[in-house]
Amino acid sequence: MPDNDSIHLQKPTDRLNYARLLRMILSRWYLVALAVLICFFMAKLYLWYTPKVYATNSIMKFDEKKSEISELVSVINNAERATAKVQSESYVIRSRSLIISAVKDLDYKISFFIEGRIRRYETYPDKPLNIELLEEDSTSLYKDLISFQAINKDKFSLKYKINNQEVKRVYPYNTVINIGKTGFMVHSSDARYATNSVYLFKFNAPEDFYPRISGGLTTSEAIKNSNVISLEQTDSNPQFAADILNALMQEYLEFDKNRKMQSASQIISFIDNQLDFLSKQVKSSESSLESYKKNSKVFDVSSSANMVLGKVQEFESQKSLLNIQLIAIDQLKQQISNEKNAVNLNFNMQGTVDPLLSSLLQRYNTLLTEKVSLLKTFNLNSQPVAELDKQLVQIRNSALANIDASAKHIQSTLSYLNAQLQTTNRQVAALPTAERDMVSLKRDFEINEKVYSFLSEKKLEAQISRSSILAGATIIEQAQPNFGPVSPNESSVYQKSIFLGLLIGFGLILLLRVLNPYIYDKETVESLTDVPVIGIIRKFPYKLDEYNTEILSQAKSRSVFAESVRAVRTNLSFMANDKQSKVICITSEVAGEGKSFIAVNLASTLGLIDKKVVVVAADLRRSRLHHVFKYNNLVGLSSYLANQVSAAAIITRTEQANIDFIASGPVPPNPSELLHHPNMEKLILELQKKYDIVMIDTAPVGLVSDSIPVIRLSDINIFVVRAGKSSFHAAELPGQLTEKYNLTNTVILLNAYEEENFHSRIYTSGNKNQNGSYYYTDYNGYLGSENQTENGTLKWWRKNRWLN
């Protein structure tokens, strides 16, 4: 049911009355207070049962090596490169393998807990029990919680579950205990284990911590577009959060160092393979030379032969080094085509390759690392991976083209050396046979020895380079445990609970107003209809008897109720004032709205000013007026309309001065037809000759049509609306009847009104009623009436001046 402020469109002249709005809210302050208290209590429970979350932070800086070549070939600016560096290394830091490696640096094998009244608490880094784990196989560990309870200094009990069945056993200290495939031992400690002390513990594998750490780890740029990264770890244990963050940074430094050492290791491995082969060649050449010297008795060659030998050695040495470089280039080409592994130059190629290749490979390796990290989040067909693949293809093609150019350069150099060797070999062929053979053997030996020495020097350089490699990052700030919780935020939770309580409280108030289907005040009536309100009858503050046999306007003449009835009497005097005798019809929408009650009390006030009044009970179906006047109702209006008695026979004198009464009479089978009978109009004309006021109490028009003929014969039609009982439609009905039957002097009377701030209309109309204005008694009554007792003394709440 819509609210009385929204049942009709708000008029342009209506304005919000803030005083009424405030009174409306204050009238149901307890709803708001109750909602706030409930929400505050719920917030208290939430904070009580929700585990606190702590956060710790650390800062790490990535070292960035720069060169002129890298600056020239870079396709992104410095800011973007720094951001990409932070993002790519963030994936490495958050990788599963790195986190598990960091866990292994901690004392992770056994976790201990204390069972609180509300939740369980982890004791890390404290170890309340001295437990030795005898089994290290993580696949066979018993990982459910085990409850420990000390019995005495010699024994303790363990409680655990096997196949969902709870098992409780007593063990002595320092003995091997097997639960499933897990073996462990609890060592005694007299100073630590108090009798009946209870602890919980469980065995862990490093992999068990990954979801906990990964879920609380966040990385971000400490400064925008910089190579400084901020790491934050949130956890329910502040010490664990700090320890794992520090371990994670140390593991990253080791990982980065090993990653950089991989290049030097590959160079050393390559050189070792070549040295193994050359070592055999040197020994073979040396052995052949010695044998030849011994057999041919030739121990040296001439100076001309030495000169030719020197040329041959030089050319052959260069050819050997170039062939080794071709092998390295071929390996490098295969690595780039593979795409899965990082690519590094095997060793310094003495300027045979373009220096740009080193920068291309460094960029290529960075993109490969980023791709591996992205594939943990995206699939192969996603846009980020596709864009990264495009960059990899471009760099790979550039690197392969560079390698091919370097290979062609080496091949051309080899061709030149071969041509020179042919000339030198012809010179060797011209030597005597003994010297020629000696030169050939000595040439092979010295060439192999020279290449062997060169590779040994390169190996030493690579080993020195590997030993000097440092991690490419620096820890700027270590993580420290922060014992101030970041979640839940108590002040924020309490503020939100109060706000939610206010919202719910005001929402309940709004809901109750929206669901209200009844009229409570004059302003609501005026907002629903253009029919004027003639008056407001205050609700009688005392209990009434069943039939209202006491005429209250006289019995309680000093009450606010009696004053409100007199105000209506005054307003009636301004209506139909051209009539010597007025016919007043009183009706309502449904029964129980007080029309008969109004008729009696209004008639009594008119009688007090010497007006001759006759009250006609025209509700032939369910009249109760005869109870008020203590009449038997055996003869009445229905008898007259049925031509059974005369008009004089149905008029009864009452105990009230100037008031006569016509009862409704026996209930007829056709009340509507009787009221349409010409006798009804005839009766009214006769009564007008004898009385100043003919007060007719009719049946409710919202239920039956009996009242319509009487209403059309009346000079004034009073439509009774009862506060708190009449619906919104009740206020619209008088206007509909007026328009339908062309009635005049139709007014509304608000009955049983009492000040009700909650349901009162909060808008004030700016329009004056088109039918003029009427006099209303003050809603709060007079100080001498409502605020006084029956004997005239001031009521207690008015004795304090500050309340007046």
Side-chain angles (χ1 to χ4, degrees):
M1 183 69 68
D3 179 58
N4 55 10
D5 294 332
S6 59
I7 193 76
H8 283 266
L9 293 175
Q10 181 184 342
K11 299 177 182 179
T13 55
D14 287 356
R15 61 182 182 275
L16 183 65
N17 190 316
Y18 294 100
R20 291 182 185 177
L21 177 62
L22 180 61
R23 287 198 299 268
M24 182 269 290
I25 295 173
L26 292 178
S27 67
R28 294 296 185 272
W29 64 268
Y30 50 86
L31 292 177
V32 179
L34 181 63
V36 170
L37 285 176
I38 291 175
C39 289
F40 190 84
F41 178 72
M42 294 299 292
K44 198 79 174 177
L45 288 179
Y46 170 78
L47 293 173
W48 202 359
Y49 282 95
T50 303
K52 290 180 173 57
V53 178
Y54 303 86
T56 185
N57 297 271
S58 62
I59 299 175
M60 190 162 56
K61 178 180 180 295
F62 298 116
D63 298 331
E64 186 177 0
K65 293 184 178 179
K66 296 182 180 179
S67 65
E68 294 180 0
I69 296 176
S70 64
E71 290 293 331
L72 291 173
V73 301
S74 178
V75 294
I76 53 176
N77 58 40
N78 292 338
E80 292 175 338
R81 182 169 58 249
T83 302
K85 175 73 173 177
V86 170
Q87 291 177 350
S88 61
E89 297 306 310
S90 294
Y91 284 110
V92 176
I93 294 172
R94 295 174 58 88
S95 64
R96 181 183 180 88
S97 58
L98 201 67
I99 290 177
I100 292 176
S101 298
V103 171
K104 292 179 180 178
D105 295 337
L106 305 180
D107 188 4
Y108 70 89
K109 295 181 180 178
I110 307 174
S111 296
F112 297 93
F113 305 90
I114 298 176
E115 195 72 62
R117 290 183 298 174
I118 298 174
R119 56 180 178 269
R120 190 177 296 135
Y121 299 91
E122 185 181 23
T123 64
Y124 179 92
D126 295 334
K127 301 173 67 175
L129 303 177
N130 186 5
I131 299 177
E132 179 184 358
L133 182 61
L134 305 178
E135 295 288 342
E136 296 291 338
D137 187 6
S138 61
T139 59
S140 62
L141 277 178
Y142 179 83
K143 296 184 179 180
D144 287 342
L145 276 174
I146 303 172
S147 176
F148 168 93
Q149 183 173 6
I151 298 175
N152 52 44
K153 65 179 182 178
D154 299 320
K155 295 181 180 180
F156 62 92
S157 67
L158 293 181
K159 189 187 298 182
Y160 51 90
K161 287 185 177 181
I162 297 293
N163 297 327
N164 293 325
Q165 297 293 325
E166 189 174 275
V167 178
K168 184 175 182 180
R169 292 180 182 174
V170 177
Y171 300 93
Y173 290 105
N174 305 317
T175 59
V176 177
I177 303 169
N178 292 298
I179 300 179
K181 296 182 180 180
T182 303
F184 61 96
M185 183 183 297
V186 181
H187 296 286
S188 62
S189 178
D190 297 337
R192 183 175 295 178
Y193 307 149
T195 303
N196 296 324
S197 57
V198 178
Y199 300 99
L200 302 173
F201 65 93
K202 66 185 295 288
F203 301 110
N204 305 306
E207 295 79 8
D208 299 336
F209 289 91
Y210 175 72
R212 174 180 175 182
I213 298 169
S214 178
L217 178 63
T218 56
T219 57
S220 61
E221 290 181 284
I223 303 173
K224 190 175 181 180
N225 297 329
S226 69
N227 57 348
V228 180
I229 186 172
S230 173
L231 294 88
E232 181 181 77
Q233 179 69 47
T234 57
D235 195 83
S236 57
N237 188 308
Q239 187 64 54
F240 177 82
D243 290 350
I244 192 61
L245 202 55
N246 289 328
L248 197 58
M249 290 190 295
Q250 291 295 337
E251 281 298 322
Y252 172 78
L253 296 181
E254 287 296 322
F255 168 80
D256 188 66
K257 183 178 178 180
N258 292 334
R259 182 172 56 182
K260 291 185 175 181
M261 290 174 61
Q262 184 179 1
S263 174
S265 299
Q266 287 180 350
I267 293 173
I268 293 171
S269 177
F270 174 79
I271 293 176
D272 283 338
N273 292 333
Q274 300 299 320
L275 287 175
D276 289 340
F277 173 76
L278 289 174
S279 176
K280 296 176 182 179
Q281 295 295 322
V282 170
K283 289 180 180 179
S284 176
S285 300
E286 184 180 15
S287 177
S288 299
L289 182 61
E290 292 296 327
S291 298
Y292 181 80
K293 286 181 179 180
K294 187 182 293 184
N295 295 330
S296 63
K297 306 298 181 180
V298 177
F299 298 99
D300 202 356
V301 294
S302 62
S303 58
S304 60
N306 280 329
M307 184 178 65
V308 174
L309 178 62
K311 290 182 179 180
V312 171
Q313 290 176 351
E314 179 68 24
F315 292 145
E316 290 289 352
S317 297
Q318 292 182 22
K319 280 184 63 179
S320 297
L321 291 177
L322 290 175
N323 285 326
I324 292 173
Q325 289 177 354
L326 282 177
I327 295 172
I329 286 176
D330 186 62
Q331 291 182 354
L332 188 62
K333 196 171 183 179
Q334 291 179 1
Q335 282 183 286
I336 294 175
S337 301
N338 188 15
E339 187 183 320
K340 295 183 179 179
N341 301 318
V343 180
N344 297 281
L345 292 175
N346 287 330
F347 65 96
N348 185 3
M349 296 185 180
Q350 298 278 345
T352 55
V353 295
D354 191 344
L356 178 62
L357 181 61
S358 177
S359 298
L360 289 173
L361 294 182
Q362 183 178 0
R363 177 63 179 160
Y364 187 77
N365 291 336
T366 302
L367 292 177
L368 279 179
T369 304
E370 291 182 14
K371 182 177 179 180
V372 173
S373 301
L374 285 177
L375 288 176
K376 295 178 181 179
T377 308
F378 303 96
N379 55 39
L380 284 171
N381 299 323
S382 62
Q383 184 178 358
V385 176
E387 292 178 354
L388 204 61
D389 284 337
K390 290 181 181 179
Q391 297 182 46
L392 284 170
V393 170
Q394 293 175 355
I395 296 177
R396 184 166 60 247
N397 292 337
S398 300
L400 290 174
N402 190 294
I403 290 172
D404 290 340
S406 299
K408 288 180 180 179
H409 176 71
I410 293 174
Q411 291 290 352
S412 62
T413 305
L414 283 172
S415 299
Y416 172 77
L417 291 175
N418 286 329
Q420 296 297 319
L421 274 173
Q422 289 178 0
T423 303
T424 308
N425 287 332
R426 285 195 293 270
Q427 294 176 1
V428 172
L431 294 173
T433 302
E435 286 189 353
R436 186 173 64 247
D437 293 339
M438 184 71 173
V439 167
S440 178
L441 291 173
K442 196 172 182 180
R443 178 186 64 182
D444 292 340
F445 170 75
E446 291 185 356
I447 289 172
N448 290 331
E449 186 180 34
K450 187 175 182 179
V451 173
Y452 186 89
S453 298
F454 172 78
L455 291 178
S456 297
E457 291 177 3
K458 290 299 179 183
K459 179 180 178 181
L460 181 60
E461 290 177 5
Q463 289 175 335
I464 294 173
S465 175
R466 183 174 63 177
S467 64
S468 63
I469 289 176
L470 298 175
T474 306
I475 298 176
I476 304 299
E477 183 177 329
Q478 290 276 359
Q480 299 294 331
N482 179 12
F483 295 97
V486 295
S487 174
N489 188 325
E490 290 192 11
S491 60
S492 176
V493 169
Y494 284 134
Q495 289 173 6
K496 290 178 180 177
S497 69
I498 294 173
F499 177 77
L500 181 61
L502 292 173
L503 194 64
I504 292 174
F506 291 134
L508 284 174
I509 292 175
L510 178 62
L511 180 64
L512 291 176
R513 280 184 61 89
V514 169
L515 295 178
N516 167 54
Y518 303 117
I519 294 171
Y520 281 88
D521 61 355
K522 174 177 67 72
E523 286 75 10
T524 303
V525 176
E526 291 175 341
S527 69
L528 295 169
T529 182
D530 291 330
V531 177
V533 178
I534 195 173
I536 301 167
I537 303 297
R538 291 297 297 261
K539 184 176 182 179
F540 193 72
Y542 304 105
K543 186 177 180 180
L544 302 175
D545 57 43
E546 182 180 0
Y547 299 112
N548 303 330
T549 55
E550 188 175 25
I551 300 177
L552 301 174
S553 61
Q554 294 185 14
K556 307 290 183 181
S557 60
R558 300 185 62 209
S559 66
V560 178
F561 167 79
E563 175 61 28
S564 64
V565 176
R566 287 193 285 269
V568 175
R569 179 190 65 188
T570 302
N571 291 336
L572 283 174
S573 65
F574 295 100
M575 299 184 67
N577 50 16
D578 58 332
K579 302 284 186 178
Q580 294 295 326
S581 177
K582 299 179 183 179
V583 179
I584 301 175
C585 178
I586 301 178
T587 187
S588 63
E589 181 190 25
V590 294
E593 292 181 316
K595 56 183 179 57
S596 300
F597 178 76
I598 295 298
V600 171
N601 283 279
L602 192 55
S604 68
T605 59
L606 289 168
L608 291 175
I609 58 172
D610 295 329
K611 295 287 186 179
K612 293 190 65 178
V613 183
V614 59
V615 179
V616 180
D619 185 356
L620 302 184
R621 298 175 185 267
R622 194 182 170 188
S623 177
R624 294 191 178 187
L625 277 178
H626 58 280
H627 293 293
V628 178
F629 295 105
K630 300 176 183 179
Y631 184 73
N632 56 24
N633 203 33
L634 296 177
V635 177
L637 180 62
S638 61
S639 304
Y640 170 78
L641 295 177
N643 294 317
Q644 295 177 357
V645 294
S646 63
I650 62 174
I651 299 175
T652 304
R653 300 286 299 178
T654 67
E655 297 177 357
Q656 306 299 324
N658 298 321
I659 298 178
D660 291 342
F661 172 63
I662 297 178
S664 61
V667 178
N670 56 343
S672 181
E673 287 77 5
L674 287 180
L675 290 172
H676 278 81
H677 197 279
N679 286 344
M680 186 65 197
E681 184 176 358
K682 180 182 177 181
L683 176 63
I684 292 175
L685 292 174
E686 291 183 12
L687 293 175
Q688 283 183 300
K689 296 176 181 178
K690 297 180 180 179
Y691 298 95
D692 297 317
I693 302 293
V694 178
M695 189 77 65
I696 305 175
D697 177 31
T698 65
V701 294
L703 300 178
V704 292
S705 61
D706 300 1
S707 306
I708 300 303
V710 179
I711 290 174
R712 300 180 70 176
L713 295 173
S714 301
D715 299 319
I716 302 172
N717 290 298
I718 299 177
F719 195 93
V720 178
V721 173
R722 183 167 182 171
K725 180 176 176 62
S726 298
S727 65
F728 299 137
H729 181 259
E732 296 176 331
L733 193 55
Q736 296 172 3
L737 293 175
T738 300
E739 183 178 353
K740 184 175 181 180
Y741 298 107
N742 295 320
L743 303 178
T744 58
N745 289 334
T746 301
V747 292
I748 294 175
L749 179 62
L750 181 62
N751 182 33
Y753 170 81
E754 61 179 342
E755 190 171 0
E756 222 295 344
N757 290 325
F758 181 66
H759 290 108
S760 62
R761 193 168 189 266
I762 60 174
Y763 288 99
T764 301
S765 176
N767 287 338
K768 292 185 178 180
N769 197 296
Q770 62 182 8
N771 293 312
S773 58
Y774 294 96
Y775 160 70
Y776 304 106
T777 55
D778 184 3
Y779 280 10
N780 294 317
Y782 293 108
L783 184 61
S785 56
E786 181 180 304
N787 298 297
Q788 290 182 354
T789 60
E790 289 298 311
N791 58 10
T793 59
L794 199 63
K795 291 185 178 180
W796 66 269
W797 63 78
R798 287 297 182 183
K799 291 182 180 180
N800 292 320
R801 292 187 62 186
W802 64 272
L803 286 174
N804 294 336

